[in-house]
Amino acid sequence: MNHHITLVGNPNTGKTTLFNKLAGTRQKVGNWAGVTVDCKTGFFSVNEQRVDMTDLPGIYSFATESGGIDEAVARRFLGQGEFDVIINVVDATNLKRNLKLTKELITLGRPMIVVMTMTDLARKMRIMPDLDALAANMGIATIDGYDLSVAELQNQVLALVEMGKDNFVVAEPKSIKQWLSGVMLQQARAQNSTELIDRVVLHPLLGIPIFLLSMYAMFALAIGLGTLFIDPIDSLTAYWFVAFPSHWMQLLGVPHWIIVVLADGLGGGAELVATFVPVIACLYLCLSFLEDSGYMARAAFIIDRVMLSIGLPGQAFIPLLLGFGCNVTSIMSTRSLSNPKQRMLTMAMAPFMSCSARLAVYVMFVSVFFRSHGGSLVFGLYLLGIVMAVGTAWIFRKQLFNDVHASSFIEMPHYHRPRWGNIALSSWHKVRGFVIRAGKTIVVVSAILTILNSIPSWHSDADGGKPSALAEVGQVITPVFTPIGMGYNNWPAAVGVFTGVLAKEAVVGTMDALYSDVVGSETDSVYEPPINNLQTSGAILWGNLTGAVSTLVDPLGLAAVSDAQHDATLSLGHQKMASLFEGWQGAFAYLVFVLLYTPCAAAIGALVKEGGMLWTGVVTGWSTSVAYVGAVCTFQVLTFAQHPFSSLMIMGIALVWIVFFVLGLKSWIKPKLGHNIIAVG
Amino acid sequence: MVLSELPKGVTANIHSVIHPHRDKQIQLLALGFDPGESVQLMMKAPFGNPLQVKVGATLIAIHTDDAQYIQLCEGACEDYDE
């Protein structure tokens, strides 16, 4: 026989831990219809009886009509009543407050079981309630979710579910005071360890250094450690997804265009997704650790006042910080913001944080154009990104979210020893979610660009044809980039803009190849047998791991900037590049464009997953517009003396577009937001 | 006295919560800011905002702007329990 139970409880009660304990790996995460709130479902089987579970978002109350998106989701689900028994998860260390929700749940008139969590902490703090007395007072079966083994817990839950379904008695409405009479037998400890730790961690003087240190550790681990695995995984997947299948398809006589679509297009897309897995996995491990241990809420507390000055809560700090490593991790981590509007605002800011892939482009330009001022140039670009992000927050709040309040109340959970099994399990499910859900978009975007890049031009070589169809497109749109100082013959830079959407560091490879006239250098690699590839990938991994210390000291990889300044001579390709840009002004304007423009394919995938299609469109359109207008203004201001009149004209037109966009946000986008992203009621 | 004026480490009891923003009023009550409940100011964040307060057994970060709407009893409170 099948049963369906639903887990309901306050946030931070260990509800997800209980869910993981019951379901193990037999769970999947989806979204509630039309909302970016996780809907977790899972099941367990005992004696050929299957119990399906739905995990509701953590809520304090569902009875009131207002409240956030989580309450709305819970209210709708509980109202529809497609479940047999409610499992009310109650935090034993905070009984009185948790029981308020229990009281609300009773009014639904459905069978119910109370499962106590955090009982280990409650015993330590000497506030463990007498469960039998409490169950008798409430008239609801109550069990200890921590003490029982997995099998015992499953058995007990099943037994209680069957009992609840067969002979259900509505619990008597009593006050919480009556429920608690004779339940608390011990005298609570005067001070618990959480308060002692908080005295140090939130100390007026010590708090900030501890915060900075932990943020640095998280960044170095999530970005630095994850990055070490990118190259070996790239080498491995480039072989198995692209080189190996295309080699064999060639031998089997498969037509060329099918090989391009399957191996280069789809295989290349899968390769791109795979390279993000190590960074995303490290990120989720770090975030789960911070969340599970209880420090996350403290970090938000420390930085809250600073973030408030740009109208965001303290929790927005971590996503934005991670943006300097990789915008994808940044967008994925906005989930920790409970308010969906603040989450969307943070997502719109994230692409402006200069990620480490863009650093590769800066380094190339420093070595060609800015040898004497490389350091300050790169610093200036990072700063410009931050300014643009803050400006975006300001404008979007004014135009779209004028009703969003920065301040909210954050419950600070007790410090808890991290439950490693739980951290590993939830990270695994989140990485899987990224691969499946964001991966789709990434594969599509990257396949389109790769295929365009691989198919030959429609002009023949004799007509001055370009190496690929993408290059032709680049040539056609080059005039669009004239106002940012890109000469008519500088089509490789325009092609770089396209391949940069694939991955920002691809700008470097594209320009290198096109300026030095090396055509299709990537696709014509020599086929090697599988064993060689395994050896190569292993060697790269070993090389990266041995260099791990320098990664931890310099997680952004800024050392490359000073290395570039000391390169001996310019290669031929770089000399050509130097001649094609309109001086250093044109090069600088191009860098401004690269810093700000369209998020990369992976970031777009993450945006679609976290914010929905409409929001992805808004963020992509906004960053592209800002990048273009910013680059135009940069170039025109830098060359103002040469042609003041046309500069004024061009800048005027560019700024009109931005004003148009900003006004459009309010009149077009704002009315649509409610239906597209935020579910009501 | 209101909660934002409570000195650090001192425990008081809540007299009433009257927040002008309806959503926040509901949230505060759901979080356990009930009349009669004990409340203690534990820590202040850098620059004096937000505050970490302990309401019953719950630790909560709350901004001074919101804390000013939580009235505390002067001296002893009457028994507020339901």
Side-chain angles (χ1 to χ4, degrees):
Chain A
M1 206 175 123
N2 277 3
H3 310 282
H4 188 180
I5 61 178
T6 178
L7 274 67
V8 192
N10 286 178
N12 303 313
T13 46
K15 195 159 60 69
T16 307
T17 313
L18 181 76
F19 183 86
N20 284 344
K21 191 170 173 180
L22 283 169
T25 53
R26 298 170 299 269
Q27 54 172 288
K28 63 171 186 239
V29 188
N31 273 10
W32 295 96
V35 205
T36 50
V37 173
D38 277 339
C39 168
K40 272 176 110 171
T41 50
F43 70 94
F44 64 87
S45 303
V46 184
N47 308 330
E48 298 184 4
Q49 301 221 55
R50 181 181 156 121
V51 180
D52 283 292
M53 301 187 286
T54 306
D55 189 18
L56 286 184
I59 50 167
Y60 292 109
S61 159
F62 68 89
T64 46
E65 268 307 307
S66 72
I69 190 166
D70 288 350
E71 282 82 0
V73 164
R75 189 161 53 237
R76 195 165 17 165
F77 182 83
L78 292 170
Q80 284 165 351
E82 287 163 9
F83 54 88
D84 302 316
V85 177
I86 297 172
I87 306 287
N88 180 205
V89 184
V90 170
D91 177 357
T93 63
N94 198 344
L95 203 51
K96 203 165 137 197
R97 218 266 325 272
N98 275 252
L99 290 178
K100 287 178 131 187
L101 181 64
T102 313
K103 270 194 78 168
E104 283 186 11
L105 289 169
I106 286 180
T107 61
L108 290 171
R110 302 295 295 261
M112 195 156 109
I113 303 167
V114 168
V115 179
M116 259 333 140
T117 54
M118 309 279 179
T119 51
D120 54 332
L121 270 180
R123 285 201 184 84
K124 233 183 255 170
M125 292 161 68
R126 299 171 60 83
I127 52 168
M128 182 63 195
D130 181 339
L131 293 188
D132 295 333
L134 183 64
N137 284 353
M138 297 195 296
I140 303 168
T142 305
I143 54 174
D144 183 341
Y146 178 83
D147 256 359
L148 300 170
S149 73
V150 176
E152 281 171 344
L153 186 66
Q154 289 176 341
N155 276 319
Q156 287 216 16
V157 168
L158 178 69
L160 289 172
V161 164
E162 285 183 315
M163 206 169 77
K165 276 172 86 172
D166 291 345
N167 42 19
F168 167 55
V169 204
V170 182
E172 272 178 75
K174 286 185 192 169
S175 73
I176 292 177
K177 202 174 174 188
Q178 283 171 303
W179 278 359
L180 287 176
S181 72
V183 167
M184 306 307 273
L185 304 173
Q186 293 169 301
Q187 184 63 44
R189 273 183 210 275
Q191 240 176 356
N192 58 53
S193 53
T194 293
E195 285 164 26
L196 288 175
I197 297 173
D198 273 347
R199 285 223 180 137
V200 180
V201 166
L202 303 182
H203 188 271
L205 292 176
L206 291 175
I208 295 176
I210 292 175
F211 168 79
L212 292 176
L213 205 66
S214 56
M215 288 300 108
Y216 177 80
M218 181 203 60
F219 192 91
L221 277 178
I223 305 295
L225 190 69
T227 316
L228 294 180
F229 293 92
I230 291 182
D231 294 338
I233 291 205
D234 193 28
S235 152
L236 204 66
T237 50
Y239 181 77
W240 290 105
F241 291 163
V242 185
F244 187 78
S246 77
H247 176 75
W248 283 101
M249 279 192 277
Q250 246 162 19
L251 286 188
L252 293 173
V254 177
H256 182 67
W257 67 271
I258 293 186
I259 299 180
V260 167
V261 170
L262 288 183
D264 296 321
L266 296 180
E271 175 197 343
L272 186 63
V273 174
T275 54
F276 277 96
V277 167
V279 177
I280 297 284
C282 287
L283 165 82
Y284 278 135
L285 284 173
C286 287
L287 286 183
S288 308
F289 175 81
L290 282 180
E291 198 101 56
D292 211 44
S293 65
Y295 185 70
M296 190 75 116
R298 272 77 184 181
F301 181 76
I302 293 278
I303 198 68
D304 197 87
R305 182 65 192 77
V306 177
M307 296 303 291
L308 188 67
S309 57
I310 55 170
L312 283 171
Q315 294 104 312
F317 182 78
I318 288 180
L320 294 178
L321 174 75
L322 287 165
F324 289 119
C326 172
N327 293 169
V328 179
T329 56
S330 175
I331 293 163
M332 303 302 282
S333 61
T334 52
R335 273 289 162 108
S336 55
L337 277 94
S338 50
N339 182 323
K341 289 177 180 174
Q342 290 171 346
R343 191 187 294 168
M344 287 159 70
L345 206 52
T346 312
M347 259 185 254
M349 295 169 74
F352 293 115
M353 311 314 270
S354 181
C355 67
S356 50
R358 273 169 261 188
L359 187 63
V361 187
Y362 308 157
V363 167
M364 181 193 194
F365 275 73
V366 164
S367 75
V368 177
F369 293 96
F370 306 100
R371 290 191 164 226
S372 42
H373 306 291
S376 39
L377 172 96
V378 171
F379 180 73
L381 285 168
Y382 274 90
L383 210 60
L384 179 67
I386 297 172
V387 169
M388 286 299 177
V390 172
T392 299
W394 189 77
I395 290 172
F396 276 37
R397 215 175 49 244
K398 281 250 183 281
Q399 297 300 96
L400 296 173
F401 306 121
N402 42 15
D403 53 339
V404 63
H405 300 271
S407 61
S408 54
F409 318 110
I410 307 161
E411 185 180 351
M412 298 167 121
H414 287 286
Y415 286 104
H416 205 286
R417 209 181 40 231
R419 291 149 285 206
W420 297 109
N422 191 41
I423 289 178
L425 195 64
S426 64
S427 302
W428 159 248
H429 283 291
K430 283 172 174 166
V431 171
R432 207 179 60 167
F434 169 79
V435 171
I436 294 170
R437 290 195 276 166
K440 272 184 218 154
T441 319
I442 300 175
V443 169
V444 170
V445 176
S446 99
I448 293 171
L449 286 170
T450 315
I451 291 170
L452 269 180
N453 202 20
S454 313
I455 53 178
S457 160
W458 51 86
H459 290 300
S460 67
D461 272 352
D463 296 345
K466 301 285 177 295
S468 68
L470 192 65
E472 289 292 347
V473 176
Q475 172 73 76
V476 171
I477 63 141
T478 303
V480 175
F481 291 104
T482 314
I484 76 166
M486 203 188 277
Y488 178 71
N489 284 320
N490 199 2
W491 55 269
V495 179
V497 167
F498 279 108
T499 51
V501 174
L502 207 60
K504 294 287 164 101
E505 69 270 25
V507 173
V508 177
T510 306
M511 288 173 106
D512 255 339
L514 293 178
Y515 284 127
S516 20
D517 291 325
V518 182
V519 179
S521 58
E522 274 177 72
T523 44
D524 290 350
S525 57
V526 187
Y527 177 76
E528 53 174 10
I531 192 81
N532 285 15
N533 172 262
L534 289 178
Q535 281 171 347
T536 325
S537 306
I540 299 173
L541 178 63
W542 177 247
N544 280 354
L545 288 179
T546 49
V549 177
S550 65
T551 312
L552 293 182
V553 178
D554 178 18
L556 282 177
L558 286 170
V561 178
S562 64
D563 289 350
Q565 285 173 303
H566 301 300
D567 266 356
T569 46
L570 284 184
S571 68
L572 275 174
H574 283 178
Q575 284 174 20
K576 191 172 172 197
M577 172 176 165
S579 68
L580 281 175
F581 272 97
E582 288 188 17
W584 65 270
Q585 293 96 334
F588 183 67
Y590 188 75
L591 281 185
V592 169
F593 187 79
V594 169
L595 162 72
L596 303 172
Y597 87 116
T598 322
C600 69
I604 292 176
L607 273 171
V608 171
K609 175 175 180 274
E610 295 298 317
M613 284 308 273
L614 177 74
W615 196 239
T616 307
V618 171
V619 173
T620 311
W622 172 250
S623 56
T624 311
S625 306
V626 164
Y628 187 69
V629 172
V632 165
C633 290
T634 307
F635 184 70
Q636 298 301 334
V637 166
L638 289 176
T639 58
F640 192 74
Q642 296 166 28
H643 37 68
F645 185 68
S646 72
S647 286
L648 276 179
M649 282 274 293
I650 295 168
M651 281 197 286
I653 294 169
L655 289 172
V656 164
W657 167 245
I658 283 292
V659 170
F660 179 72
F661 197 112
V662 169
L663 294 177
L665 283 178
K666 195 167 198 166
S667 50
W668 285 357
I669 306 298
K670 196 178 181 189
K672 295 200 184 98
L673 271 187
H675 308 290
N676 275 281
I677 296 135
I678 299 157
V680 184
Chain B
M1 194 167 57
V2 294
L3 179 58
S4 49
E5 295 165 355
L6 191 69
K8 194 165 147 181
V10 175
T11 309
N13 289 310
I14 295 172
H15 177 268
S16 58
V17 181
I18 306 157
H19 200 294
H21 202 279
R22 187 169 162 267
D23 249 31
K24 291 199 172 183
Q25 169 82 12
I26 292 164
Q27 278 181 42
L28 283 171
L29 292 179
L31 276 167
F33 283 90
D34 296 311
E37 186 64 85
S38 72
V39 57
Q40 184 183 1
L41 178 62
M42 309 297 287
M43 284 292 190
K44 284 185 176 184
F47 312 109
N49 206 3
L51 312 169
Q52 186 195 34
V53 297
K54 186 176 175 182
V55 185
T58 318
L59 289 170
I60 289 168
I62 180 172
H63 283 259
T64 47
D65 310 4
D66 297 313
Q68 63 174 324
Y69 299 117
I70 297 167
Q71 288 283 341
L72 306 176
C73 298
E74 312 284 345
C77 270
E78 308 138 52
D79 191 24
Y80 270 103
D81 256 331
E82 306 154 68

